[in-house]
Amino acid sequence: MDALRFITCGSVDDGKSTLIGRLLLDSKAVLQDHLAGIAHSSPSHAHDEADAGAQLDLARLTDGLMAEREQGITIDVAYRYFSSERRKFIIGDAPGHEQYTRNMVTAASSADAAVLLVDATKLDWQRPDLVLLAQTRRHALLCHLLRVPSLVFAVNKLDAVADAALAFAHIRAALLRFAEQAGLAAQAVLPISALKGWSVVDRGHGHDGWCGYHGPTLLEVLEQLPNTAPAPEAALAFPVQWVEKPGATDVDAVELPAAGAAPAHGRRVLWGRVAAGRVQAGDEVQVFPSGQRARVVQVLNRCRQPQAVAAGHSAGVLLERELDVSRGDWLLASPVTASPVTASPGADATSATAEAPASPYPARHSLSATLAWLDDEPLQPGRLYWALHQHRWVKAKVTRVLHRLDIHTLEQQSADRLEANGIGRVELQLQAPLPAHAYAQSRALGALILVDSASHRTAAAVLLD
């Protein structure tokens, strides 16, 4: 089973760093010297054997990431790796503060799953009709919009409330109501204590059945979640990230993942990650935007071995002849001509004329999309931004805001602009066409970002219809 890439998200102080530290500690993924340093600097706040793990300030295991944020790094999503006996994992640590929503979106865009933490102590848990925090709703909706395949709600800090079973029952009901209203499919809702380790990795600690919950632990849930399946059966779409020139220097070769066989045929090698379909020798492709066609004569995998490569994997492509191809261009499956209609005797010959070849990814100037606005400055319709689609930059502007989504009521409200962290539907006009596709069918072809042309800040995440 492939490694599962998941993110943790939630509001500030919901316990994300502590949860990551707990997963690393209880899965034995922390080096002894690092653990000794944490133990030496952690205040002792547990007084019984059952709370032994809680004596460590587990959030300190991710202090390096906090330091990065303090230094003003904009894109500061960092990844941690660990494994259980059944599976390997990659954790994307997504900041919780509202102003860092852009970072959370960055992490979620490539995640197979998301663990949303809900802090029980911040909610009016005695009420059966309690209201969830806005940040919980926002993160859940963003994960849904970004098509994160699996969503898990982990209700944290229940060890700190007077009646944990009642609190979990009310919070779980509120989460399920919200999920139903928003059209979310939650894989699990479970109670945890990241601080003390209850229901995170082990069933032990004498708390089996805690909060009336008898299901799997968080780690056991994660071990069973599926990876995001690529679409090798779709038509080929290959964004060119780098062009390796013939006779590249040894330095260039060393920078490759694994230097091996030299490029055959003395031609340039077009490197990138296959976005959709499969590329193999003999395929006829069309270069976007030039429209030139050529046949693939060889495909190298990431180890530079000749091999067909499917979606989600890196490849080097050699064409039968040299074409003007550079970073940002695409190799697309060659357009297909519809089968001509057989004319019946005596029928008008013009009625049997074959249709013009149609590209599986037609170029689009005008787009409609769901947009998450991430800049501090409000979205101004009519203003020009840079749009980045894979490795291609084009100028773009939002021509109209169709509506804004109220994250509290989930209602669509009329709006003429979007404030920071707003979510809405918009119409986009591009200065040059892109082979864009619906995000629901392809996360690689259906997403782009808007960048402020003056400040160079990431302004929006755009998910195309």
Side-chain angles (χ1 to χ4, degrees), residues 319-351:
L319 302 179
E320 62 181 347
R321 58 193 178 96
E322 295 288 11
L323 299 178
D324 181 11
V325 182
S326 58
R327 175 183 170 88
D329 289 351
W330 288 76
L331 300 183
L332 304 175
S334 187
V336 177
T337 303
S339 301
V341 178
T342 303
S344 58
D348 185 353
T350 58
S351 63

Side-chain angles (χ1 to χ4, degrees), residues 320-392:
E320 62 181 347
R321 58 193 178 96
E322 295 288 11
L323 299 178
D324 181 11
V325 182
S326 58
R327 175 183 170 88
D329 289 351
W330 288 76
L331 300 183
L332 304 175
S334 187
V336 177
T337 303
S339 301
V341 178
T342 303
S344 58
D348 185 353
T350 58
S351 63
T353 302
E355 296 181 4
S359 171
Y361 303 106
R364 300 167 65 185
H365 268 100
S366 301
L367 308 168
S368 60
T370 298
L371 181 148
W373 191 250
L374 308 176
D375 201 354
D376 296 331
E377 298 293 328
L379 164 64
Q380 299 290 346
R383 181 182 170 186
L384 275 178
Y385 294 89
W386 280 108
L388 176 61
H389 182 243
Q390 288 291 328
H391 310 295
R392 189 169 191 81

Side-chain angles (χ1 to χ4, degrees), residues 120-121 123-127 130 155 157-171 191 210-212:
T121 62
L123 300 174
D124 191 5
W125 55 267
Q126 294 93 342
R127 295 175 59 89
L130 65 89
V155 185
K157 301 187 184 181
L158 283 166
D159 57 293
V161 301
D163 190 340
L166 180 66
F168 177 64
H170 287 172
I171 296 171
W210 179 53
C211 298

Side-chain angles (χ1 to χ4, degrees), residues 373 378-385 396-402 415-418 425-428:
W373 191 250
L379 164 64
Q380 299 290 346
R383 181 182 170 186
L384 275 178
Y385 294 89
K397 64 180 177 182
V398 176
T399 56
R400 189 158 68 107
V401 178
L402 299 176
D416 55 9
R417 69 176 195 172
L418 292 177
R425 281 184 52 77
V426 301
E427 291 180 347
L428 278 170

